[in-house]
Amino acid sequence: MKPVPSGRRGRLPLSLRRRPVPWERQRPTWRDAGPAVIARALKRAEARPSGNWYVVGASGELRADRPLARTVAGQEVVVWRGPDGRPAGGPGVCPHLGAPLRDSPVRCGTLVCHWHGLALDGTPHAGWVPLPVHDDGVLLWVRLDELGGEAPLDAPVVARRPERATALTAVYSGTGVCEVEDIVANRLDPWHGAWFHPHAFADLTVVGSPDGADGPPGTVAGASGIRGTEDAFTVDVSFKVAGRLVVPVRAVFTAPEPRTVVMRITEGEGAGSVVETHATPVGPDELGRPRTAVTEAVLAVSDRPGFAVVRRAAPLLRPLVRAAAGRLWRDDLAYAERRWHLRSTGRFPG
């Protein structure tokens, strides 16, 4: 499958699969999906700097009357908009007697503890010390220097995105029983797409992988087409719409920091669109098993004139985009949870 060049597109953003192959007759990918290739890409991702920034939610979740509360590696965190409208945040435990600030209201930009009225405006007060917070317009981040243990950065590492004013944006959130590396490893295995998600993908071929690894004849590494010069997975794939109708694209997967994998459409319909997957450690469940939150941001763009209408319908379309992401993540969280289970019991292959 080769994506339709933008200059030769039809009037509709769809193609017809002329010779569809049944699921069981598609080309096996297990030889190409070398465990060592995925493991090396994961290790390189883990070595990249994050500046100790962790995604805690979507910017759109931040309400005027209550904080956004999350747990990051067992630490309670709250984020809200301060009196100046900018995001403020810090520990979710009141320093007075330990009240859960997640249940406290926000009044005129001030978080007011509902136990004894301790008022927090985002500056240090009564033993409460704020945390650095960043709102990139799509996602909210909190910097936890003691947890991350790296040299701090002034802002999180955010991959290049399309302009928000021109994009349809939606954010999905989910949680799985696994660790961050299991989520990242899932995204660094594009070979499973058409096998594990046949409802969503077809005609998937990995045409470039890091180190020029184990692909079919003619494989090249990364978006540049030169072996070893780019740590990226390049994939030709068709998104299924209905029946034999598909949207063929070329997409590139990269990991700009240890807890993020970005898929960018580089050719075909929606070129420039981005899907960011962020993994945030939550902490153990009641059985002591690790939990990881997945936050996936979709920024879809198109140069077709009718896309302006799509953007105006964003409030109606966002639930559909989140539902589609949720269906994929039901599968991928099962993948990540299985991977963690085998690792934790010493049975993971390789």
Side-chain angles (χ1 to χ4, degrees):
M1 189 282 299
K2 186 174 181 179
V4 179
S6 58
R8 293 164 46 197
R9 294 179 305 177
R11 294 181 61 186
L12 295 176
L14 302 171
S15 295
L16 186 67
R17 296 181 73 201
R18 299 188 181 280
R19 288 182 292 275
V21 177
W23 177 84
E24 67 277 6
R25 291 176 54 192
Q26 63 184 317
R27 180 181 176 276
T29 57
W30 66 272
R31 288 186 178 87
D32 303 331
V37 177
I38 299 169
R40 287 195 295 267
L42 175 64
K43 185 175 289 290
R44 287 191 293 269
E46 292 174 332
R48 294 184 182 115
S50 72
N52 305 322
W53 289 95
Y54 296 81
V55 169
V56 292
S59 300
E61 293 182 271
L62 210 53
R63 295 174 43 172
D65 61 343
R66 65 180 59 182
L68 175 70
R70 292 290 186 268
T71 301
V72 181
Q75 301 182 36
E76 295 178 50
V77 174
V78 288
V79 179
W80 73 97
R81 295 209 181 275
D84 58 1
R86 292 186 296 180
V93 178
C94 180
H96 175 226
L97 286 174
L101 295 177
R102 67 171 59 235
D103 299 327
S104 297
V106 175
R107 297 290 184 265
C108 299
T110 298
L111 180 63
V112 182
C113 177
H114 65 296
W115 277 18
H116 297 94
L118 177 62
L120 302 171
D121 63 3
T123 59
H125 182 57
W128 186 89
V129 180
L131 294 168
V133 179
H134 182 81
D135 181 357
D136 65 26
V138 178
L139 300 173
L140 294 165
W141 306 67
V142 170
R143 199 179 79 197
L144 298 167
D145 292 336
E146 291 187 9
L147 174 61
E150 301 178 19
L153 297 176
D154 291 338
V157 178
V158 179
R160 177 172 51 88
R161 293 170 171 170
E163 291 291 333
R164 281 192 299 127
T166 65
L168 169 65
T169 304
V171 179
Y172 160 83
S173 298
T175 303
V177 177
C178 60
E179 294 179 328
V180 166
E181 75 162 75
D182 302 300
I183 299 295
V184 175
N186 168 268
R187 307 309 282 158
L188 296 178
D189 169 17
W191 291 277
H192 75 265
W195 284 102
F196 201 39
H197 308 294
H199 55 86
F201 305 117
D203 306 322
L204 186 150
T205 303
V206 178
V207 297
S209 57
D211 309 322
D214 299 329
T219 293
V220 294
S224 68
I226 302 174
R227 287 181 188 272
T229 61
E230 300 224 11
D231 197 0
F233 295 86
T234 303
V235 179
D236 286 346
V237 64
S238 289
F239 294 98
K240 285 188 172 181
V241 178
R244 293 166 60 192
L245 291 175
V246 295
V247 178
V249 302
R250 172 164 287 183
V252 176
F253 292 77
T254 56
E257 59 111 67
R259 292 175 289 277
T260 300
V261 177
V262 176
M263 184 201 77
R264 185 183 310 279
I265 296 178
T266 58
E267 297 182 39
E269 296 294 339
S273 299
V274 165
V275 177
E276 297 179 3
T277 302
H278 302 272
T280 302
V282 175
D285 65 9
E286 64 277 2
L287 299 178
R289 303 174 302 179
R291 293 176 299 155
T292 297
V294 175
T295 306
E296 186 160 278
V298 178
L299 292 91
V301 293
S302 174
D303 59 2
R304 291 183 180 271
F307 192 71
V309 177
V310 172
R311 289 202 315 273
R312 286 195 290 270
L316 299 176
L317 295 175
R318 284 193 186 101
L320 299 178
V321 176
R322 282 195 291 267
R327 186 177 183 187
L328 287 171
W329 272 107
R330 281 195 293 273
D331 296 341
D332 283 335
L333 281 174
Y335 173 120
E337 290 178 336
R338 173 70 174 177
R339 186 180 187 277
W340 172 80
H341 177 69
L342 292 177
R343 286 195 307 107
S344 68
T345 54
R347 295 182 293 150
F348 187 67

